[in-house]
Amino acid sequence: MRKIKKFLLAKSIGIYINTLSYINPGKAALLAYRIFSEPRDGRLLKEQLPDILKQAETKTYIHDNQQFQTYTWRGNDNVILLVHGWESNASRWERMLPYLQKSGSTIIAIDAPAHGLSGGTEFNIPQYAKFIDIIVRETQPIFLIGHSLGGAACVYYQSAYQHPSIAKMILLGAPSDLKILIQNYIALLSLNNRMVLLLENYFIERFKFKLEDFSGKIFGGKLKLSGIIAHDIDDEVVSLEEARKISGSWKHAQFIETKGLGHSMHDEKLYKQLSDFLFGADTTSTK
């Protein structure tokens, strides 16, 4: 019954936006983008933080009148930055954290725009990358780990900013192409061809790029650091093919294919493998 209600709601919204596209195209494009970019889950309350985040030092930053939150578990001078994905928050790293802490490293996790304790109502990767850059410049992390859209943000960030402190990067269940995400959204709402063009033009005017140009496959070709791309064949949120696109262009990354982990990628064996890559002998192979 719940699935039916969600289906009917999505189709009703789509009908409204399609109709609005003929009456007020600008308003229709803005509404469609807002629905696409506004998370409905992942928020946190200060008075109800998960225990793992209560153990961390918290710090709030302000950039372009936008507030964002970080959590730090203090260790040595080696810093690891963790970047979560869509409708999540920094607490998603709780199960991986013990494996990273064994190294004695300082670990920092960030709440994405409109997630956790960070402000705003809109999530987009260019803005996320700006937040990441502020933390990277201040703390000089040597490792960057991203899950889902957080992984996509990491690929975009390092390809665009090329920060020299980052020596290794890990992507978990990360999508590659923004155009695929938009196409899935369009199919969900059954938006018409007019709305497809309006959305494409919105991204060009707002972000100065075409949808097909915002791709992990393109960004991966600019990466010079070593890394791991891990993806599960049972991931029903992000297709395995998306990870293969990034792997095909990122020449200094290993590709790890898992089974039975789904999109969360929580697994003791995998975490040990990733820890060996980060802290043990460098097992990265060049394709």
Side-chain angles (χ1 to χ4, degrees):
M1 182 63 71
R2 184 177 297 178
K3 288 184 178 180
I4 294 175
K5 288 182 178 180
K6 287 184 176 180
F7 174 82
L8 293 175
L9 177 61
K11 298 309 176 184
S12 297
I13 292 172
I15 290 171
Y16 174 73
I17 293 175
N18 285 337
T19 303
L20 188 62
S21 69
Y22 292 96
I23 303 169
N24 191 330
K27 186 176 180 180
L30 180 59
L31 177 59
Y33 173 77
R34 282 181 175 174
I35 295 172
F36 172 76
S37 64
E38 184 174 340
R40 290 158 291 280
D41 200 0
R43 287 287 194 182
L44 293 172
L45 298 174
K46 285 186 177 181
E47 59 273 19
Q48 296 178 0
L49 279 182
D51 289 341
I52 188 64
L53 299 184
K54 290 179 181 178
Q55 299 169 16
E57 298 175 16
T58 59
K59 185 173 181 178
T60 303
Y61 293 79
I62 303 293
H63 176 71
D64 287 344
N65 297 317
Q66 180 73 57
Q67 170 186 306
F68 69 98
Q69 188 76 18
T70 63
Y71 310 82
T72 301
W73 295 266
R74 289 290 173 190
N76 59 36
D77 290 339
N78 292 328
V79 177
I80 305 171
L81 181 59
L82 307 178
V83 184
H84 74 79
W86 176 253
E87 293 189 340
S88 184
N89 53 65
S91 69
R92 74 91 49 206
W93 300 107
E94 180 174 9
R95 293 176 62 177
M96 188 179 190
L97 201 62
Y99 295 89
L100 302 177
Q101 289 177 316
K102 287 179 181 179
S103 69
S105 302
T106 291
I107 301 162
I108 302 173
I110 185 173
D111 278 337
H115 292 77
L117 293 180
S118 292
T121 58
E122 174 189 345
F123 173 96
N124 68 71
I125 287 179
Q127 182 187 36
Y128 205 179
K130 290 179 182 178
F131 290 179
I132 293 170
D133 189 54
I134 290 171
I135 305 305
V136 168
R137 289 179 180 276
E138 180 177 307
T139 65
Q140 301 292 304
I142 59 173
F143 303 142
L144 190 58
I145 304 176
H147 173 252
S148 191
L149 277 178
C154 289
V155 174
Y156 169 75
Y157 170 75
Q158 189 60 13
S159 69
Y161 292 77
Q162 296 284 337
H163 200 280
S165 78
I166 301 174
K168 297 180 180 180
M169 184 164 68
I170 293 174
L171 309 180
L172 304 170
S176 170
D177 296 351
L178 175 60
K179 190 161 187 174
I180 296 294
L181 298 177
I182 292 292
Q183 287 174 344
N184 291 340
Y185 171 67
I186 288 169
L188 176 66
L189 268 60
S190 297
L191 298 182
N192 59 28
N193 291 333
R194 183 179 179 86
M195 276 308 308
V196 172
L197 292 175
L198 287 172
L199 266 176
E200 289 178 348
N201 289 334
Y202 182 89
F203 276 90
I204 292 173
E205 294 175 7
R206 169 85 182 275
F207 298 107
K208 312 305 179 187
F209 60 71
K210 295 180 180 179
L211 294 181
E212 56 265 30
D213 294 334
F214 202 89
S215 167
K217 182 177 182 179
I218 296 173
F219 302 147
K222 301 176 183 179
L223 298 178
K224 301 173 183 178
L225 75 173
S226 61
I228 282 180
I229 302 165
H231 210 101
D232 196 78
I233 63 174
D234 296 324
D235 190 334
E236 296 181 352
V237 177
V238 178
S239 167
L240 181 66
E241 183 58 31
E242 289 291 281
R244 287 175 174 157
K245 291 177 185 177
I246 304 173
S247 177
S249 62
W250 185 3
K251 300 303 180 182
H252 303 288
Q254 299 177 61
F255 183 76
I256 297 177
E257 188 177 295
T258 63
K259 179 173 175 57
L261 306 185
H263 189 58
S264 70
M265 300 295 290
H266 291 309
D267 179 66
E268 180 179 353
K269 181 180 177 181
L270 176 62
Y271 287 156
K272 287 180 178 178
Q273 191 172 359
L274 299 180
S275 296
D276 288 343
F277 165 72
L278 294 177
F279 310 116
D282 192 342
T283 57
T284 310
S285 61
T286 303
K287 299 176 183 176

